[in-house]
Each structure stands twice: as C-alpha cells, then as structure tokens.
Amino acid sequence: MITKIHICNLALAQLGQSPILSLEQENEKARRLNLFYAPVRDEVLRTHNWAFAAAQEPLTLLEQEADNQGRFVYKYPAECLFMRRVFDQGNTRLPFEEFFRTDLHSRVVVTPSDKAYGEFTRRITDENLFDAAFIKSFSLALACDLAVSLTADTQLAAQLLQKYTISLQEARRTNSSESFTIRNEKDAFSEVR
C-alpha cells in the first residue's frame, strides 16, 4: 500500500535525509513536505495524460453565450487539472476556450456545441491509484523542489532535476504505450492512447 508518507520518504531518500514518520512532526522536513506535496503532485499530473488520472465525461451546460454566436458555456469540472480535449457526441474534436467568469465565480469552458464532453486529467489524491512510474517521477520532482531548502546543495538539486527529467520521459513513454478505457455516464467505453 502506497501512502503519502512513503512517497515523501522516497523523496527524502533521494536527498540523503532520514525518513519521517508523520507529516505532523515538528521539524523542517515535515513542514516543507506538507507545503510542497500537493502542488508538486498536481504539477506532475498535468505533465502527461496519465492512464490512472484520465477522465471523460459530459460537461455541465451553464448557458448559451449572450451574443448568440452559437457558443455554449460549461462548468469546468471540479477535479480537472488539465482539459485535454473537448468533443461532441460523435467524438468530433471541438475548439474550446477556458477562462474564469467573474459573474459566475467559476472557471468555465466555452465551445460551439450544446452537448459537449471533456477529456481531462483529474486531480488524484488517493496514492493507491498512482502508477508505479508516476510515483518514481513524483518523488523525484518532490526531492528536486526540496533539495536547496533542505540540503543547501545546488549541485544535488541539478542532479535530481536531471534524474526527474529522465524518469518522467520513461514514465510517459511507458504510459503512452498502454491503452486504457474510460467509462462515461452511458456505460460505454472509449479507448484512449
């Protein structure tokens, strides 16, 4: 079973640091790991269309744009980290824009279809769903971001960045060679590469 502490300790091992038992410990390592963990995880999730984080679902229609140009406004999915594509019922790719609407107090997706679907990378917070190659890349990215603050060693930070880059390339290559399916609301399956 993979846990947040396990991933944090993998990062610390890359830094030559002793492991921690909890993120609630009163020490600099635990405080820094608490600070960096979620942003680094989300950043690495956004770098690739990871099989374990891929989602396809209908977008929630909010309104048709007032200018009546045939553009429709959809709610941005709450768990979406990166919108990969928007498509219609026939699986035709649609052009889209995403931005924050101050009047709605939310991020939106605008596209020229009244029935749009999104394919996106979800924010995954359950470490047990992480792919093994993702875990390695994520722990290296975490170590890289912590290197200077925990060790004051810029050379180690540069070495970790190089290791992370190589690990991420390998993880992407491996993940891209896998086909996987995503279940949509109609219980149909779509193959994604």
Side-chain angles (χ1 to χ4, degrees):
M1 183 162 125
I2 298 296
T3 65
K4 187 182 284 191
I5 294 298
H6 183 212
I7 293 169
C8 289
N9 284 331
L10 287 171
L12 290 172
Q14 291 290 337
L15 296 169
Q17 301 279 311
S18 59
I20 61 171
L21 299 175
S22 164
L23 287 171
E24 284 72 44
Q25 285 179 224
E26 286 298 320
N27 64 45
E28 191 63 19
K29 289 188 287 190
R31 280 191 288 278
R32 296 259 179 204
L33 285 162
N34 260 321
L35 182 64
F36 281 86
Y37 188 90
V40 173
R41 177 202 61 217
D42 290 354
E43 179 185 357
V44 179
L45 280 168
R46 285 178 52 89
T47 64
H48 180 66
N49 195 14
W50 302 99
F52 69 89
Q56 273 186 4
E57 64 183 45
L59 298 175
T60 303
L61 182 62
L62 297 175
E63 65 185 22
Q64 183 169 4
E65 280 193 332
D67 63 10
N68 210 16
Q69 295 295 314
R71 290 169 31 110
F72 298 85
V73 180
Y74 292 88
K75 182 178 180 183
Y76 200 83
E79 71 279 5
C80 177
L81 284 176
F82 187 86
M83 186 65 68
R84 303 279 170 194
R85 73 181 181 113
V86 173
F87 58 98
D88 64 14
Q89 288 180 308
N91 206 25
T92 301
R93 184 180 289 267
L94 298 169
F96 70 96
E97 296 176 79
E98 50 185 89
F99 50 86
F100 187 83
R101 282 268 303 262
T102 54
D103 61 324
L104 297 173
H105 303 288
S106 68
R107 200 167 171 188
V108 297
V109 175
V110 178
T111 193
S113 174
D114 64 345
K115 285 190 171 67
Y117 297 80
E119 179 180 307
F120 56 90
T121 298
R122 294 179 298 137
R123 174 178 288 111
I124 302 293
T125 58
D126 181 351
E127 289 80 11
N128 288 301
L129 298 178
F130 293 169
D131 175 89
F134 175 83
I135 291 169
K136 181 179 179 185
S137 295
F138 173 31
S139 67
L140 282 164
L142 196 54
C144 189
D145 280 11
L146 295 170
V148 175
S149 63
L150 291 181
T151 69
D153 187 341
T154 55
Q155 186 175 3
L156 176 61
Q159 290 170 349
L160 287 168
L161 179 58
Q162 186 176 24
K163 281 178 78 171
Y164 165 66
T165 302
I166 292 167
S167 173
L168 187 59
Q169 288 171 348
E170 178 61 24
R172 286 175 173 167
R173 187 188 62 73
T174 302
N175 187 262
S176 293
S177 68
E178 298 174 343
S179 289
F180 56 99
T181 55
I182 301 171
R183 178 173 246 163
N184 67 27
E185 75 170 5
K186 295 179 182 177
D187 292 328
F189 289 90
S190 300
E191 184 177 294
V192 179
R193 280 201 168 276

